[in-house]
Amino acid sequence: MTTPTVQTAGTRRRWAGLAVLVLSVTLVAVDATVLSLALPSISETLSPSGTQLLWIGDSYSFVLAGLLVSMGALSDRIGRKKVLLLGSSAFGLASLLAAYSPGAGWLILARALLGVAGATIMPSTLSMIRSLFPDPRERATAIGVWGAGATAGAALGPLVGGILLEHFWWGSVFLLNLPVLSLLLVLGAWLLPESRDPKPGSWDLPSVLLSMAGVIGVVYAIKELAADGLTHWYVPAALVAGALALVAFVRRQLSLASPLLDVRLFGNPRFTAAVAGSLTALIGLSGVIFFMSQYLQLVRGYSPLRAGIAELPAFAGAVVGGLLTAWLARRTGARATLVGGLLVMGAGIALLGWAHQDSAYLLLGSSFLAVGTAEGVVYTLAADLVLGAAPAEKAGAASAVSETAYELGAALGIALVGSVVTAIYAGSLNFPAGTPAAAAERARESIGGAVEAAATLPGELGRPLLAQAEHAFVHGMNVAAVLAAGLLLLSAAAAWHLLRDRSGAAASPGDESDEPAAAPAASSGLAA
């Protein structure tokens, strides 16, 4: 039987297929952040430790990041549509397990399984856009819509979670996936064409294992070092083992005739700048969502729904930013657009360095809007630059690099920013005289633990304890925001350097001279 091709697909069918792909990526992105507003409720119901709470947020992104390259290469080999539909089915089953998890350990496991399933969805969606839209200009619009869905999904997660938590228990944030997945499976089977690499080579299992071990080992070690330093011998051991696994992975890819990932793509400065920009932007976005969701509920006393509505400017900004990316890139060039997005995002996060317990919402809303809009621009442009750097038959593996940066950024944002907030919070917390040891220990674990501990104490102890906890948390949030903003500024400087004109010719105003001389023949749609 002949596989459907782009040539036989009409215009309406192509754009309807894009709608299915946007639905897929939005679902995965929502799942990465929807849990943030449920953390206080999970703390109350499952009583996780502070470390378990971080792992509940991290396990999804860690596993997803570790498997994306492998699953992207698998989709190139056995079919992107097939992998997308199988992964969507597995995502639904893992969502059921997460919704009804009886303890913190089960929830961490369920989130990890969601990461395995999500790893099959993310690279398939972007690589199928390459097949559906071969024309660069048309593909630019499609990637803009896709990017808006991805970034808006991450920003929309807290609002969706807030609406559900207003009426249902925390597990409902996972059950939301089931009707969406049912629609996705039906429409995807009908509308999406199959595509694959015509000469894929073998799926190298040692490369798969090295990739996963390297990513998870390094990210785990960074997370633990940020939280506890060198207090446990296995943390630096994990860092060394992960780094060695990544080195071995790169060496193996260079020696294979059909590598899992063509690491030579990183020799293209545009490709490298795009991946680095996407990574640091997601560190900023996920870090802000992680601590601001707790700040709004546990410090300012917002309900989950009100907290989700308060973060709505990030969602609106992400949609607008994603849709405007093609226009901005054509007017100012890819270099100015990417660097400008990183700078605006850094400035938006830096605003939170001056927030306090009762800051005016104008400060918070301005920060959310700047961060969301800039993330929409950076992520959409980065995805297009990455996709344009790879040959069409390797679109799945190249897309997986972009998605790996996305998920690593999400995981590192929670790990690094969350660990900074947690460490400063615990280190600056002072307890009023007479506070029971058990209540003090519970309060030191997290701001949620402090709220619960204060509720069990007499007013003359509970109120001062809660006030101290709020002050310590906000102090940690301020420091983390300034550090995250600094990271974005460094990333902007690196992107400006990597995307500089290498042709030696003077650039004329409005000219796309930021195209590196070594850029591949497959031009970027957004900067075309």
Side-chain angles (χ1 to χ4, degrees):
M1 186 173 103
T2 304
T3 351
T5 65
V6 176
Q7 286 72 24
T8 61
T11 301
R12 289 184 180 178
R13 192 177 185 89
R14 287 206 306 276
W15 290 102
L18 175 66
V20 175
L21 299 178
V22 171
L23 181 65
S24 305
V25 74
T26 302
L27 176 68
V28 176
V30 165
D31 216 69
T33 58
V34 71
L35 202 62
S36 59
L37 287 179
L39 291 176
S41 178
I42 290 172
S43 294
E44 183 179 348
T45 306
L46 302 183
S47 299
S49 66
T51 300
Q52 284 180 319
L53 198 62
L54 286 176
W55 275 111
I56 288 171
D58 281 342
S59 56
Y60 175 79
S61 294
F62 280 176
V63 174
L64 191 56
L67 284 174
L68 274 167
V69 170
S70 302
M71 293 302 179
L74 181 66
S75 71
D76 284 340
R77 286 159 171 78
I78 70 173
R80 293 152 189 154
K81 175 180 177 179
K82 183 184 298 182
V83 170
L84 174 65
L85 297 180
L86 287 173
S88 299
S89 302
F91 203 87
L93 294 174
S95 297
L96 277 174
L97 176 60
Y100 295 102
S101 295
W106 278 100
L107 182 55
I108 292 170
L109 173 63
R111 292 278 288 166
L113 293 176
L114 280 167
V116 174
T120 66
I121 296 173
M122 294 290 277
S124 299
T125 60
L126 186 54
S127 58
M128 289 182 76
I129 289 177
R130 179 68 177 267
S131 302
L132 281 168
F133 301 96
D135 177 70
R137 294 285 177 136
E138 199 174 42
R139 187 170 69 241
T141 303
I143 289 179
V145 174
W146 176 89
T151 53
L156 183 61
L159 177 61
V160 173
I163 293 171
L164 291 172
L165 293 169
E166 193 78 7
H167 303 285
F168 307 104
W169 97 114
W170 61 264
S172 62
V173 300
F174 297 107
L175 294 183
L176 171 72
N177 296 337
L178 300 181
V180 179
L181 285 166
S182 300
L183 181 65
L184 192 159
L185 288 169
V186 172
L187 294 180
W190 174 39
L191 293 170
L192 295 176
E194 184 60 280
S195 65
R196 58 173 63 89
D197 184 349
K199 298 178 180 178
S202 60
W203 195 59
D204 187 56
L205 184 58
S207 295
V208 173
L209 297 177
L210 287 170
S211 168
M212 189 169 184
V215 171
I216 293 179
V218 169
V219 175
Y220 166 78
I222 292 173
K223 170 186 174 297
E224 293 298 318
L225 285 170
D228 300 317
L230 294 170
T231 53
H232 303 292
W233 65 268
Y234 52 81
V235 174
L239 180 62
V240 172
L244 290 175
L246 289 177
V247 170
F249 173 79
V250 170
R251 292 175 64 88
R252 187 170 182 84
Q253 301 319 292
L254 292 171
S255 67
L256 291 174
S258 299
L260 200 68
L261 171 66
D262 186 0
V263 295
R264 294 178 181 87
L265 287 171
F266 285 95
N268 181 341
R270 174 164 287 208
F271 183 91
T272 303
V275 172
S278 182
L279 174 69
T280 51
L282 258 294
I283 289 176
L285 178 67
S286 61
V288 166
I289 289 175
F290 178 79
F291 65 67
M292 286 304 294
S293 295
Q294 295 181 75
Y295 164 80
L296 291 172
Q297 290 183 83
L298 300 175
V299 175
R300 296 182 70 108
Y302 286 13
S303 67
L305 177 58
R306 188 180 177 190
I309 293 172
E311 295 181 7
L312 196 57
F315 163 70
V319 174
V320 173
L323 295 177
L324 286 180
T325 303
W327 179 81
L328 287 171
R330 288 178 187 137
R331 282 185 66 88
T332 66
R335 185 191 195 195
T337 301
L338 184 63
V339 172
L342 292 169
L343 289 174
V344 169
M345 192 171 196
I349 294 174
L351 283 176
L352 298 176
W354 283 267
H356 44 81
Q357 282 93 320
D358 55 353
S359 290
Y361 178 73
L362 179 62
L363 174 71
L364 307 178
S366 299
S367 173
F368 292 148
L369 181 61
V371 170
T373 304
E375 169 57 23
V377 171
V378 170
Y379 182 61
T380 303
L381 180 58
D384 182 75
L385 294 176
V386 166
L387 198 60
E393 65 273 10
K394 301 296 183 184
S399 303
V401 176
S402 176
E403 301 308 328
T404 300
Y406 182 99
E407 295 304 329
L408 272 179
L412 285 172
I414 295 174
L416 296 179
V417 177
S419 296
V420 168
V421 174
T422 301
I424 294 177
Y425 165 80
S428 58
L429 190 59
N430 296 314
F431 299 105
T435 302
E441 183 62 28
R442 182 67 179 140
R444 192 175 282 109
E445 284 281 352
S446 65
I447 181 67
V451 172
E452 292 175 18
T456 65
L457 299 175
E460 63 271 13
L461 288 178
R463 283 191 297 272
L465 171 61
L466 187 57
Q468 284 288 331
E470 290 174 352
H471 177 77
F473 182 84
V474 171
H475 177 53
M477 182 184 82
N478 295 152
V479 174
V482 171
L483 292 176
L487 179 63
L488 266 296
L489 295 180
L490 289 175
S491 179
W496 183 260
H497 172 74
L498 287 168
L499 295 178
R500 70 189 187 278
D501 179 24
R502 299 169 191 276
S503 65
S508 59
D511 185 30
E512 288 300 332
S513 59
D514 52 10
E515 180 77 47
S523 64
S524 164
L526 293 180

